[in-house]
């Protein structure tokens, strides 16, 4: 089973008089362990495809399956839980919560899923150390440089 299977996906935006077909029958089968780069000109549908793969938007037709689960069959609450457990997103903008410290931002996905455990704190410590941010753990995003964010 492929971890990501996109089959004949179509996605359009806008009113009928100015309808834009962002994706027109796109299919993709991502093999486990492969690295994938999505590249193309501005307006070619890259962001639309990524939003579909993350369950942030739905296709007009076709299907998106992640680990065998059809995203179209999930309601908003189910998609939110599915994303929490199965999908990692790295946005172009930082999307850090300004009132949380660096450590709290790193731990946020774990806290959304359950109460943070000692193991979660250790994972956050390891992540901050890997990024060279151990000494900055208590700083809020506005006190971090762009690279640190």
């Amino acid at each position: 089973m492929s971890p990501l299977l996109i089959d004949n996906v179509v996605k359009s935006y806008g009113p009928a008089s100015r309808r834009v077909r962002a994706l027109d029958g796109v299919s993709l089968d991502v093999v486990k362990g492969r690295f994938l780069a999505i590249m193309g000109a501005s307006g070619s549908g890259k962001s639309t495809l990524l939003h579909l793969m993350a369950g942030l938007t739905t296709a007009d037709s076709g299907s998106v399956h992640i680990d065998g689960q059809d995203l179209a069959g999930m309601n908003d609450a189910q998609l939110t839980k599915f994303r929490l457990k199965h999908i990692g997103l790295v946005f172009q903008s930082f999307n850090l919560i300004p009132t949380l410290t660096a450590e709290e931002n790193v731990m946020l996905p774990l806290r959304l899923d359950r109460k943070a455990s000692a193991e979660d704190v250790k994972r956050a410590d390891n992540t901050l150390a890997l990024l060279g941010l151990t000494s900055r753990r208590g700083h809020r995003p506005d006190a971090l440089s762009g690279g640190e964010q």
Side-chain angles (χ1 to χ4, degrees), residues 33-102:
R34 291 288 176 116
F35 181 81
L36 175 70
I38 298 173
M39 301 167 50
S42 180
S44 64
K46 300 178 302 291
S47 293
T48 299
L49 181 61
L50 290 170
H51 284 121
L52 285 166
M53 292 180 343
L56 297 172
T57 191
T58 57
D60 298 337
S61 63
S63 63
V64 177
H65 288 82
I66 296 179
D67 289 334
Q69 296 195 42
D70 185 359
L71 299 188
M74 297 181 195
N75 63 33
D76 284 340
Q78 291 168 324
L79 279 168
T80 298
K81 286 181 182 178
F82 186 81
R83 277 191 298 272
L84 179 63
K85 294 187 179 289
H86 300 282
I87 299 173
L89 300 171
V90 178
F91 293 94
Q92 285 178 315
S93 60
F94 308 119
N95 289 335
L96 298 172
I97 308 299
T99 57
L100 300 180
T101 66

Side-chain angles (χ1 to χ4, degrees), residues 93-137:
S93 60
F94 308 119
N95 289 335
L96 298 172
I97 308 299
T99 57
L100 300 180
T101 66
E103 181 178 39
E104 291 165 337
N105 269 287
V106 169
M107 292 184 62
L108 184 60
L110 301 170
R111 289 189 171 167
L112 292 173
D113 191 32
R114 62 187 183 286
K115 186 172 176 135
S117 67
E119 167 115 3
D120 294 335
V121 173
K122 186 176 180 178
R123 285 178 67 192
D125 287 344
N126 290 340
T127 300
L128 290 166
L130 180 69
L131 298 171
L133 294 173
T134 300
S135 65
R136 311 284 284 160
R137 72 179 332 104

